[in-house]
Amino acid sequence: MTTAPRHSPSPSTSSYENAPTRAVSVRGEDFAYRELGPEDGVPLILLIHLAGVLDNWDPRIVDGLAARRRVIAFDNRGVGGSSGSTPDTIEAMARDAVLFVRALGFDQVDLLGLSMGGFIAQVIAEQEPRLVRKVILAGTGPAGGPGIDKVPALTIQATLKGALTRQDPKLSLFFTETRGGRRAGRAFLERLKERTHNRDKDISLPSFRAQLKAIKRWGRQAPSDLSNIRQPVLVANGESDRMVPSQNTLDLAARLPGSELVPLYPDAGHGGIFQHHDEFVSRALAFLES
């Protein structure tokens, strides 16, 4: 891992598969990140799902977005290649993400938040209106949204079942049980293996537990006043999300003043943007460039 100085230019990288893993110091801790795409324009910061590390982003989505945008994926505090202790609240994760963005020297960014990353993106957009220009929320929901507090139990159940059946739990958590859903899930898992060198560390058990605690708290909070988020927001999900039930996506779109709703992807679940990556990338780029 290389350490990047403040305001360092982005390396010219052809794909996420070979993007170098770099690090920047954030209040004494090293935050691991990868970036690619053009060096100009407003950067797009990627905020990953529960237990996700750098290698859990679909390379088709990162490469597709980076064809026209500067894209930066990172591990938040204590996760994957980043040092420190993982916070157990979404609000603290959001503060860390803002510190990371500022450590790279940016004064304005766009955000793509997936699942738990979408919770974090909502907090950042509300608390840092000058920092955030546009937001994309995928497979996510508002604080106190129905079913969100059940995500930890669902995840643990799927992880145990996956260990017994030797099947990656993401297949059942992110994709539908239909023939099309299973095929899309297997294709996604193969894409995640494309990077064969300098792969990120898996999340540690203490960090995973901290994230589970944060999600449960988010799911049990009083609903937040989403009308305070004034930035343009694109909202997307599959129509059959069993982790963050799809009604949360519709609720977000209805309550956010500047929202656009991507019609819910058919025969798709929590990983709808992975299953429909071509359509998602096209819609996301059009939104970011409008």
Side-chain angles (χ1 to χ4, degrees):
M1 190 187 297
T2 57
T3 301
R6 194 173 170 84
H7 297 288
S8 65
S10 121
S12 177
T13 304
S14 59
S15 72
Y16 195 57
E17 180 183 344
N18 60 32
T21 303
R22 309 166 87 203
V24 66
S25 179
V26 179
R27 292 195 174 171
E29 303 294 353
D30 286 336
F31 276 43
Y33 71 100
R34 296 179 191 150
E35 65 176 303
L36 65 162
E39 293 179 17
D40 57 346
V42 178
L44 176 64
I45 308 296
L46 307 186
L47 301 160
I48 192 67
H49 57 73
L50 166 68
V53 297
L54 292 172
D55 292 320
N56 288 113
W57 281 109
D58 190 331
R60 296 300 175 276
I61 284 182
V62 182
D63 290 348
L65 294 170
R68 296 194 339 227
R69 298 300 305 265
R70 184 177 188 173
V71 177
I72 300 173
F74 76 106
D75 286 331
N76 213 331
R77 187 182 302 272
V79 177
S82 293
S83 64
S85 179
T86 301
D88 61 6
T89 69
I90 296 299
E91 291 74 18
M93 294 177 192
R95 285 194 295 273
D96 283 341
V98 170
L99 290 171
F100 165 76
V101 166
R102 297 207 184 281
L104 290 181
F106 300 124
D107 54 17
Q108 189 176 55
V109 296
D110 295 329
L111 301 175
L112 164 54
L114 172 61
S115 189
M116 185 186 75
F119 307 157
I120 297 168
Q122 291 172 59
V123 174
I124 299 173
E126 182 175 15
Q127 295 186 352
E128 301 283 344
R130 292 183 180 177
L131 180 65
V132 179
R133 187 187 71 119
K134 291 188 176 186
V135 184
I136 302 173
L137 299 174
T140 193
I148 292 175
D149 65 338
K150 296 181 175 64
V151 167
L154 267 175
T155 303
I156 292 167
Q157 182 184 17
T159 302
L160 293 173
K161 181 183 174 186
L164 290 171
T165 59
R166 296 185 179 180
Q167 176 177 285
D168 192 308
K170 287 190 284 293
L171 277 179
S172 62
L173 290 172
F174 282 30
F175 298 91
T176 59
E177 297 291 339
T178 66
R179 181 181 299 174
R182 288 194 294 271
R183 185 171 60 242
R186 288 191 295 269
F188 167 67
L189 293 178
E190 286 304 309
R191 295 196 296 275
L192 293 188
K193 297 175 187 173
E194 288 175 357
R195 184 185 180 99
T196 56
H197 64 287
N198 297 325
R199 288 184 64 87
D200 202 2
K201 299 176 191 169
D202 289 337
I203 192 168
S204 69
L205 192 54
S207 292
F208 183 49
R209 285 183 179 139
Q211 289 187 349
L212 290 173
K213 193 182 224 179
I215 290 173
K216 186 174 278 193
R217 283 177 168 169
W218 179 263
R220 292 181 176 175
Q221 282 177 28
S224 50
D225 182 5
L226 297 176
S227 68
N228 291 333
I229 297 176
R230 312 301 299 184
Q231 298 96 327
V233 183
L234 184 69
V235 184
N237 202 0
E239 65 181 7
S240 303
D241 188 341
R242 63 186 292 255
M243 287 199 77
V244 181
S246 303
Q247 68 194 91
N248 287 288
T249 303
L250 303 177
D251 184 28
L252 277 176
R255 291 169 55 197
L256 287 162
S259 75
E260 295 176 30
L261 175 65
V262 179
L264 297 180
Y265 295 117
D267 188 24
H270 196 58
I273 67 168
F274 299 148
Q275 185 167 341
H276 295 267
H277 50 84
D278 286 340
E279 301 100 301
F280 171 73
V281 165
S282 176
R283 183 67 185 266
L285 286 172
F287 167 74
L288 293 170
E289 293 168 357
S290 63

